[in-house]
Amino acid sequence: MSYATDPTPDEGATAPRESGTQALDRALSVLLAFRGDAIERKVSDVSRELGLHKSTASRLFRALADAGFLQRNEENGNYRLGVAVFELGARFLAGIDLHALARPLLHQLAEQEGESVNLAIREGLDAISLYVVQGTRNVQLVSRLGRRIPLWCSAAGKALLIDHDDDALRALLAPAPFTALTSETITDLDTFVAHMATVRKQGWALNAQESEHGLRVVAAPVRDRYGRITAAISISGPIFRLDDPRTNELADAARRTAHELSRQLGHGFGDRWGD
């Protein structure tokens, strides 16, 4: 969401009044400002990011806190997400059969392979961690639940795009900034399109330190009853433990689990159901 920047009057000046729709739009933008890695945010930082008058931002923060969507840290005056956000998220997850079916399979996979396992979905140009299971081996690099990683430097993101041909990839990723998270990140569209030809051929995706140094991740796509890719299952671990042979083993394991989850979602049974 974008807004015309509020004028910046003196500290004590009164912020301009706003319509109900504008207030709602701005309140939602304040909530979305918490999507990053920071647990707590300052009102002044968020107001500056959104181009809001400080008193407007303060009023929005207070209203969201009163409704339970934000919680104020009384020691430093910063805010964090409140319990109402968790409650809505829990209701969202409860309504997804994918999530319920995936949980036991992901726990079994993490126990069998000893590495961390993640279920991700796509939103826009990001892969989002929907469920994370920590592995059993000593050194673990675990994705944070709800974390967003750009599609072009995520094994799950690549797996989610595995059905896109070259033209579809170019159309989808034309606005992508291809920001480099590490020295290994692919930073241009042409290179990524060529890379995805290999991903499509092998049926699984690899993130070789493209999002985080020292991390290697493999991922395979999950399909629904209509054959559409609806999620991706990934396995991650430190690069010193995931050499090429082990990486291939984990890729096979991710593909087997993704196939089983796809089967439970009805993939392959469309003809029997008249689809």
Side-chain angles (χ1 to χ4, degrees):
M1 302 176 185
S2 60
Y3 312 100
T5 303
D6 283 343
T8 310
D10 295 337
E11 184 73 22
T14 302
R17 296 182 65 83
E18 54 194 358
S19 68
T21 301
Q22 185 181 41
L24 176 60
D25 210 23
R26 287 175 164 177
L28 291 173
S29 285
V30 168
L31 282 178
L32 293 177
F34 285 80
R35 291 193 301 186
D37 291 333
I39 300 298
E40 294 187 346
R41 301 295 313 269
K42 294 181 179 179
V43 174
S44 57
D45 289 343
V46 174
S47 66
R48 184 167 53 252
E49 288 176 16
L50 299 180
L52 294 174
H53 189 287
K54 187 177 179 181
S55 60
T56 299
S58 296
R59 184 171 64 251
L60 291 169
F61 270 78
R62 289 194 299 270
L64 289 167
D66 289 343
F69 289 98
L70 294 179
Q71 182 177 5
R72 188 172 187 271
N73 184 332
E74 298 300 333
E75 293 184 0
N76 57 25
N78 296 340
Y79 286 81
R80 63 174 60 201
L81 292 175
V83 69
V85 175
F86 171 77
E87 291 173 343
L88 290 177
R91 288 181 179 274
F92 168 75
L93 293 177
I96 300 179
D97 289 340
L98 167 69
H99 189 267
L101 292 172
R103 283 199 303 267
L105 295 174
L106 298 180
H107 281 277
Q108 182 181 39
L109 181 60
E111 183 176 351
Q112 287 176 346
E113 302 300 338
E115 304 294 352
S116 296
V117 175
N118 177 50
L119 179 72
I121 58 175
R122 180 170 78 88
E123 183 179 90
L125 300 181
D126 295 326
I128 305 176
S129 296
L130 188 65
Y131 194 72
V132 179
V133 183
Q134 185 170 343
T136 57
R137 306 189 74 172
N138 286 335
V139 178
Q140 293 291 327
L141 302 172
V142 184
S143 176
R144 174 175 53 81
L145 185 65
R147 182 186 181 190
R148 291 172 172 263
I149 304 180
L151 297 171
W152 59 87
C153 56
S154 160
K158 296 173 190 177
L160 289 163
L161 296 178
I162 215 166
D163 280 353
H164 285 58
D165 61 19
D166 290 357
D167 290 340
L169 285 172
R170 291 184 185 281
L172 175 68
L173 297 175
F178 280 92
T179 305
L181 300 187
T182 74
S183 59
E184 303 300 321
T185 305
I186 296 174
T187 56
D188 69 272
L189 180 55
D190 288 339
T191 303
F192 184 76
V193 169
H195 172 74
M196 284 299 297
T198 300
V199 175
R200 286 195 297 269
K201 183 177 180 180
Q202 65 190 14
W204 59 274
L206 172 66
N207 168 2
Q209 303 189 89
E210 296 161 53
S211 61
E212 185 176 338
H213 283 298
L215 178 68
R216 217 171 199 195
V217 189
V218 296
V222 175
R223 299 179 184 276
D224 64 13
R225 61 181 291 191
Y226 303 106
R228 299 171 301 202
I229 294 177
T230 187
I233 290 175
S234 65
I235 307 174
S236 60
I239 195 167
F240 69 81
R241 201 159 60 219
L242 272 63
D243 57 13
D244 288 344
R246 179 60 176 156
T247 296
N248 290 329
E249 291 176 0
L250 292 178
D252 288 341
R255 292 182 71 184
R256 287 193 299 271
T257 302
H259 177 77
E260 174 57 23
L261 180 55
S262 300
R263 187 192 67 79
Q264 293 188 23
L265 288 170
H267 179 55
F269 295 93
D271 290 342
R272 300 184 191 183
W273 295 340
D275 295 330

